Amino acid sequence: MAKLKILEYPDPRLRTRAKKVEKVDDNLRQLIDDMFETMYAAPGIGLAATQVNVHQRILVADVSDDQSQPVVLINPEITVLDENNRLGMYEGCLSLPGLRGWVERPASIKITAWNEKGEKIDFSLEGFPAVVIQHECDHLDGILYVDRIEDTTKFAFED
Ligand code: NI
């Protein structure tokens, strides 16, 4: 395994729209292992391939306290289940170290994706995990959470 370098804002490569993964193979699984190592070392709870300068639609996440819930999503697609049910929180990002900004997003989503074996998976998420996955999916489209901050008085250094 190897730790990868995380691109930091305002690196223009963070604005790249990632391409769909055509085939899940051992090279891709190696990348996924390296992304987990990089995310856990940071430490972080989510990392998109875009952030390590690989422009393919892959993300990893783990919202647990003890690295017990690793999630890999390849070619993820999100369907919002209830537009009116929104959750706001101060988001952070490994590509914007030391900063937090208030973003509101849909609180319940359905996801379809491939797993690390290339199998199709789908599941629903609510609350904090749903926010994390939306944040990571945004990276694959070159979008950063700062683009979604509506109230700039709620953008601050971490305390
Ligand atoms: Ni991020």
Side-chain angles (χ1 to χ4, degrees):
M1 300 227 289
K3 233 171 80 181
L4 306 169
K5 184 171 158 31
I6 299 176
L7 301 179
E8 291 186 6
Y9 182 86
D11 193 310
R13 292 172 291 183
L14 287 168
R15 298 307 192 170
T16 311
R17 198 181 149 80
K19 292 199 171 72
K20 194 168 184 282
V21 172
E22 300 294 342
K23 187 167 127 260
V24 180
D25 58 15
D26 286 344
N27 285 338
L28 198 88
R29 282 185 281 267
Q30 181 62 55
L31 169 68
I32 289 164
D33 284 350
D34 291 345
M35 286 174 64
F36 272 116
E37 183 180 350
T38 305
M39 179 185 80
Y40 286 135
I45 54 174
L47 185 70
T50 307
Q51 292 176 277
V52 292
N53 200 30
V54 175
H55 301 288
Q56 298 190 63
R57 304 187 80 80
I58 307 162
L59 65 85
V60 299
D62 188 339
V63 299
S64 74
D65 293 328
D66 55 0
Q67 306 188 0
S68 63
Q69 291 167 41
V71 173
V72 178
L73 299 178
I74 299 167
N75 298 330
E77 308 249 11
I78 289 175
T79 308
V80 174
L81 294 176
D82 181 359
E83 257 321 325
N84 297 317
N85 178 15
R86 297 178 79 81
L87 176 62
M89 67 177 66
Y90 276 96
E91 295 189 15
C93 180
L94 296 176
S95 294
L96 292 103
L99 295 169
R100 296 263 164 198
W102 184 264
V103 178
E104 291 180 13
R105 300 181 189 266
S108 63
I109 59 172
K110 183 176 174 233
I111 295 159
T112 59
W114 298 349
N115 65 14
E116 69 282 0
K117 294 176 197 151
E119 299 161 341
K120 196 171 169 194
I121 51 173
D122 63 272
F123 54 99
S124 298
L125 284 179
E126 292 260 349
F128 181 62
V131 165
V132 171
I133 295 301
Q134 288 174 84
H135 173 122
E136 300 311 327
C137 284
D138 269 357
H139 278 297
L140 302 177
D141 290 327
I143 297 167
L144 298 169
Y145 79 83
V146 288
D147 306 333
R148 297 196 182 277
I149 294 174
E150 288 173 14
D151 179 352
T152 51
T153 66
K154 291 184 173 175
F155 186 39
F157 291 107
E158 268 175 325
D159 53 26

